[in-house]
Amino acid sequence: MAIDRRREAAGGVPGRLPPAAEENGALPPGDAAASAPLGGRAGPGGGGDIQPLPAPHAAGGPHPSLLLLDYDGSVLPFLGGLGGGYQKTLVLLTWIPALFIGFSQFSDSFLLDQPNFWCRGDSKGAEPAGVTATGRWGGGDLANWTSPPTTPFSTAAWGTAGPLGNGSGAEGGDAPPLPSPPDKGDNASNCDCHAWNYGIRTGLVQNVVSKWDLVCDNAWKVHVAKFSLLVGLIFGYLITGCIADWFGRRPVLLFSVIFILVFGLTVALSVNVTMFSTLRFFEGFCLAGVILTLYALRIELCPPGRRFLITMVASFVATAGQLLMPGLAALCRDWQVLQALIICPFLLMLLYWSIFPESLRWLVATHQFASAKKLILRFTQKNRMNPESDIKGVMPELEKELSRRPKKVCIVKVVGTRNLWKNIVVLCVNSLTGFGIHHCFARSMMGHEVKVPLLENFYADYYTAAGIALASCLAVCPAVRVLGRRGGLLLFMILTALASLLQLGLLNLIGKYSQRPDSELQLKLAVGMSDSVKDKFSITFSIVGMFASHAVGNLSVFFCAEITPTVIRCGGLGLVLASAGFGMLTAPIIELHNQKGYFLHHIIFACCTLICIICLLLLPESRDQNLPESIPDGEHYTRQPLLPPRRGEQPLLLTNAELKDYSGLHDAAAAGDGLPDGTTANGGRPM
């Protein structure tokens, strides 16, 4: 009776509680349902399940028309989905820059490759004074050295090994024996000279290292230049993501293109390595804005069934840019020309100012209905659509909402949610782990400890990594189609963990027992497994690890784009991409410290893979689901349980007042309204 009197005093009807205020990002039953897209599938605990919708609010009320908020269910079908010619053109325009992005992302492998070097003026047959970045020597490396027009060094001294960079002259002579990496004392004596000749392996006559003699005491500047681009990418993802959610995708894309042209072309005019590194930071910052906004625009243009396919096509185009980079380097011959050639294609994107529109989905989600109306009319005009095809009445509803004020959201709002922030954090850790451990596998395969002739060549290393990336993209497509987003990500994370643990545990265990002369196990291993077999096992685990970790990184970014609401999608993408940047940043940092701590680095990431496997079970399944538009939509994108719940099952030890915080339990809350205060959901009293 006391409960009924309180309800009547609040203006309600006996037997029904009034809607409660929003708490911790969760909405009351009616509002939570009102915020959900129409196209979701109903049912408790379903992957991405959405509650049934009540009657639409009146125009001008606290909420806009549900028909407009249901973008995938009403607005996108009205525009023809991807069937319209204008939409197909826009998707194509998001694919083309992926090729230029691939050039920029892999340019460090050519601009900053550490060549072999030796003191200038050494006599014929003298040994080089340094080694490459990977510390390996081989005939394949020598075969890829290139010659500048004039050099005092004899190429004939190397026999049939191939031309040398910065060397030509005397005839005859046998090739000297290939030395092993010099120890500390050798490096100190070899760095006594003040000028060097260089053997560049990447098809260039001159790169940044040979331009400013970044060897010996100045070698650390190469690593600083490498991670200046990555640090710029990290800051760019974080800052441009927030700006794109507030001001729109189109302004961020166009301003990023303008400034990447300014900074990228200025990099080619650098007069010293400090200027080069500083400008590379700003180039990375602007490149991050281009990558992030194109990714978001690509996702927001597509219907649920086409999102993954459209995204993977862009990944294939970027991989094509990676595969074409050696040809560009061989064509340019000079690092400044190569840098200019990488940046100049972005000039074509200046035309996007008049071609590419703002994201219609973002305009509708942020209640900018006047701009949305103009853009919808542009779509209908470009597609030559009949206005009578508006069966659901999208345009009349849009007319009613033109006076509504825009409602923009920043990514910091996610802190007050219950589920959304956890999903984003899990994907950030997955992205960090995937891209971070990828370097560990790459170094294990291409490092000096693996003595396989095929991999002692720059082009073999480069194309092996590119081929693994391509194979990973090809394998992700059927895996995600069969297992879904969460299942596919879980599969590749398990493969990454297995490859890492087997490489760290099994091979090190073999090495441990092989050093015990009195051990019976050592005798068996000596018969069944030689050092070469051990190296081949290491390469196999490394290839599997690179393959799986590449898939983990890409799927984590895509998964985040799907489960993050439209109003903060760029901010969420920025967090996950920045986490990926932190993972990639570990590579130049470890190299800067001369590979010290590499083993511990690998162990830490191997432990992270185990944590990620557990955390992935907390994520929802977003396959064939509508994109969430607002934060409440993303909050009710709930995890699908492994086992279906029993009919009528209710959670224990929850009072009626607490049931409003859990999606899918509103009916149970209504059924238990007649229970006295303090009664739990199953009808008992708490202890």
Side-chain angles (χ1 to χ4, degrees), residues 67 73-81 87 376-377 379-381 383-396:
L67 187 67
S74 58
V75 180
L76 194 58
F78 165 61
L79 298 176
Q87 289 92 310
I376 288 177
L377 293 176
F379 271 84
T380 56
Q381 181 182 3
N383 292 329
R384 299 178 182 178
M385 297 173 56
N386 187 357
E388 295 180 357
S389 62
D390 186 10
I391 300 176
K392 294 187 177 181
V394 173
M395 295 304 293

Side-chain angles (χ1 to χ4, degrees), residues 54-79:
H57 296 279
H63 300 276
S65 171
L66 297 177
L67 187 67
L68 298 178
L69 294 183
D70 180 26
Y71 189 89
D72 286 314
S74 58
V75 180
L76 194 58
F78 165 61
L79 298 176

